[in-house]
Amino acid sequence: MRAPALLLASLLLAAAAACESAGPSGDELTITVTGEASLIAIGGTVQLTATARDGEGAVVQGLTFEWNTSNPAVATVSSSGLVTGAAGGTALITAGWRGSAGTKSISVIPAAGAGVGSVVLTAAEPLLAPGET
């Protein structure tokens, strides 16, 4: 009775190890992050996409990337790579998988029409007397 149990346990361990090592390791991948824009307005969004390639340059399908931002006060990123501008500045968006990562820099600017409405300059004292040029 012991031999079949040991054989079954060995087979289960071997199967688990095979599942654990299936697919490329992160060290073998190059990840590229792309998107239609590198500049967005506050409140604006851009969808980023990550593509992984193996050591031979072939695209690796079926990976779920972990998305992060270097500066969440400037730009946030969802688990699907959707970046939203939060404040003016620059953030580095990273897509990672098993130790490999790719990045894209996103700059966030105020929305058109936002910010200063007008500027009025008034001199404390006249620089020219009336009639002077």
Side-chain angles (χ1 to χ4, degrees), residues 115-120:
V116 178
S118 64
V119 175
V120 177

Side-chain angles (χ1 to χ4, degrees), residues 31-34 48-51 64-72 75-83 90-106:
I31 299 174
T32 305
V33 178
T34 58
L48 300 184
T49 303
T51 303
T64 301
F65 297 98
E66 182 178 330
W67 292 90
N68 290 294
T69 176
S70 66
N71 195 345
T76 60
V77 61
S78 72
S79 61
S80 64
L82 182 66
V83 177
T90 301
L92 195 62
I93 308 300
T94 304
W97 190 81
R98 290 191 182 179
S100 288
T103 60
K104 182 165 180 68
S105 180
I106 298 292

Side-chain angles (χ1 to χ4, degrees), residues 34-48 74-78 80-87 93 104 106-109 111:
T34 58
E36 290 189 19
S38 295
L39 183 68
I40 59 174
I42 294 172
T45 61
V46 62
Q47 179 66 56
L48 300 184
V74 169
T76 60
V77 61
S78 72
S80 64
L82 182 66
V83 177
T84 302
I93 308 300
K104 182 165 180 68
I106 298 292
S107 295
V108 181
I109 59 171

